[in-house]
Amino acid sequence: MSSYFPIPPNIWIEEISRNVTGSITFLNIPNNILMTNLMSKEYKEIVYLGVYKITKNKWKLLKVDECQPEEFKEIHRENYDVNNFEMLVVVPKRTNEFPEETINLPKPSSLRIDRSPIADRASINFSLEKSLTSYQGEYPFEMALIKKGSFLSFDILKNPNKEKYLNYLILINVFQSAKDQSCLKVNYFSPKNPDLKKYFQAKRNSFTIKNLNLLENQINNCETLFFTSSQCLFIPLTLSINIETKHLSLEHTHPPTELFFGDNKFEPIKIIKQQWI
C-alpha cells in the first residue's frame, strides 16, 4: 500500500486575527517495519518528495525535496503560493521521476520494506504561535482512485466548551484526476433526529473547512453532529482551538470498515449505511 501526504490547510481565525498554519513532517526511515527486521540491516534508501497542486485541471509540480536516510523533512504550506483551501499534495517516490504537469497525480512509491500491514505515514501538523498539534496520517493511493463512495463521521471528538474553544471540521479529499473538482453535498444532522437534515457543499480535490460551533447552532445547539455523504469519500479531522491560550488539539475518526474484523465484517457495515447514510 502506498500513500499520498496532503499538506493541511491554513485556517484564518477571525476571533483572534491569526492563521493556524498547516505542514507535514516526513521522516525517511521505515515506520511500518516488522520488529524482526528492525535492526537486520542498515537503511540506505533515499526518498524524493514531489509537491503538487492543481492548475487549470492539471497537477503541476512545484518542488522536489531529496530526503536522505534518517532525515526529517518539514514542508510548510505557507512557503508556497497557494490559497488556504487549495489542495497541496506530497508524492513520495524512490526515484526522482516526476512529471512537470499531468492530469493524473503520479502514483506514490510504497516505502514498505517487508510484510508489515501498517501504511506509510507522515506527521500531519497544525500550528498557532507556539502551539503545535499533529497526528500520524496518510491518504491511501487506492482511496484516491475511488470517484464515488459513502462517508459517515461525527464530531464527538471536539471540545464541548464553546465559550473557550472554536471547533473546526476539516474534510480532505484527494482524487487522482485533476479534471474533477466538482462540488458535492454533505449532510449533517443530530442522531436524535436524523430525518431533520441540513447540508453544505464540499469540493473534490480540496479541503472543506466548517466551523462546528456554527453548524451546531443551526441544529438547535445539539451536542453531537453526524456527517454523511453518498457521493464521495473524505478523511475527517477535528481541530479545536483554545481562544485564550491558543492551544490546539487535533483528532480524527475512522470509517466504519475500521471498526469491525472478520470474514463477515461487511454485514454490520451494510446495516450502518442503510440506517445512517
Side-chain angles (χ1 to χ4, degrees):
M1 181 187 298
S2 57
S3 301
Y4 296 117
F5 303 126
I7 302 177
N10 294 342
I11 304 175
W12 175 254
I13 310 300
E14 187 69 35
E15 289 80 356
I16 58 177
S17 299
R18 293 286 190 280
N19 250 335
V20 174
T21 59
S23 66
I24 70 164
T25 304
F26 178 84
L27 170 61
N28 185 14
I29 195 168
N31 57 11
N32 53 0
I33 190 173
L34 294 172
M35 181 66 71
T36 54
N37 296 328
L38 187 59
M39 305 298 291
S40 60
K41 60 180 179 180
E42 184 180 1
Y43 179 71
K44 298 182 179 181
E45 294 283 347
I46 296 175
V47 174
Y48 299 91
L49 305 173
V51 182
Y52 280 89
K53 78 165 187 175
I54 293 179
T55 302
K56 296 180 180 179
N57 294 327
K58 289 186 178 180
W59 290 101
K60 180 180 179 181
L61 180 66
L62 303 182
K63 186 181 179 181
V64 176
D65 280 324
E66 180 179 302
C67 195
Q68 295 292 323
E70 301 183 13
E71 180 184 7
F72 282 100
K73 188 69 69 172
E74 292 194 18
I75 303 177
H76 295 266
R77 169 175 285 268
E78 58 189 9
N79 293 337
Y80 294 89
D81 183 20
V82 293
N83 64 42
N84 283 355
F85 300 168
E86 195 170 7
M87 181 53 64
L88 204 59
V89 181
V90 174
V91 181
K93 293 182 76 68
R94 294 187 181 274
T95 59
N96 190 2
E97 298 176 355
F98 297 90
E100 291 291 331
E101 287 189 346
T102 176
I103 293 175
N104 292 322
L105 191 62
K107 182 179 179 180
S109 297
S110 174
L111 306 181
R112 183 178 297 162
I113 62 175
D114 57 29
R115 297 176 63 84
S116 168
I118 307 301
D120 304 328
R121 287 175 179 158
S123 178
I124 311 298
N125 315 312
F126 285 97
S127 58
L128 173 64
E129 297 182 355
K130 296 182 179 180
S131 180
L132 174 71
T133 185
S134 65
Y135 84 101
Q136 292 294 305
E138 80 287 344
Y139 202 101
F141 171 70
E142 290 82 359
M143 186 172 169
L145 301 178
I146 301 173
K147 184 169 185 177
K148 183 174 182 178
S150 59
F151 167 70
L152 170 64
S153 186
F154 48 85
D155 69 348
I156 194 65
L157 299 177
K158 67 181 181 295
N159 194 295
N161 189 341
K162 294 184 181 180
E163 295 183 359
K164 291 186 178 181
Y165 282 85
L166 294 171
N167 296 289
Y168 288 88
L169 173 70
I170 304 165
L171 300 181
I172 305 172
N173 177 269
V174 178
F175 189 57
Q176 191 182 35
S177 174
K179 289 185 175 181
D180 195 339
Q181 302 168 57
S182 55
C183 289
L184 310 154
K185 187 167 76 171
V186 175
N187 295 312
Y188 63 99
F189 53 89
S190 167
K192 296 180 180 179
N193 189 5
D195 293 328
L196 181 61
K197 289 185 173 71
K198 292 184 177 292
Y199 71 91
F200 57 80
Q201 295 289 336
K203 192 176 181 182
R204 199 187 301 275
N205 268 327
S206 184
F207 295 97
T208 300
I209 303 170
K210 292 295 177 181
N211 186 322
L212 286 171
N213 300 37
L214 297 180
L215 294 184
E216 289 170 3
N217 291 342
Q218 297 176 14
I219 309 289
N220 299 322
N221 291 307
C222 65
E223 296 180 357
T224 302
L225 288 177
F226 273 35
F227 302 91
T228 67
S229 175
S230 59
Q231 298 178 305
C232 189
L233 299 175
F234 299 96
I235 291 181
L237 307 180
T238 301
L239 178 67
S240 298
I241 306 165
N242 187 305
I243 301 175
E244 297 177 357
T245 65
K246 312 298 191 299
H247 287 173
L248 305 175
S249 175
L250 182 65
E251 303 289 347
H252 69 104
T253 58
H254 293 282
T257 52
E258 298 294 319
L259 305 179
F260 298 92
F261 297 91
D263 295 336
N264 298 322
K265 64 179 291 185
F266 289 101
E267 293 183 10
I269 293 171
K270 183 178 180 181
I271 296 174
I272 291 174
K273 289 183 177 182
Q274 288 175 341
Q275 180 172 352
W276 295 109
I277 298 178

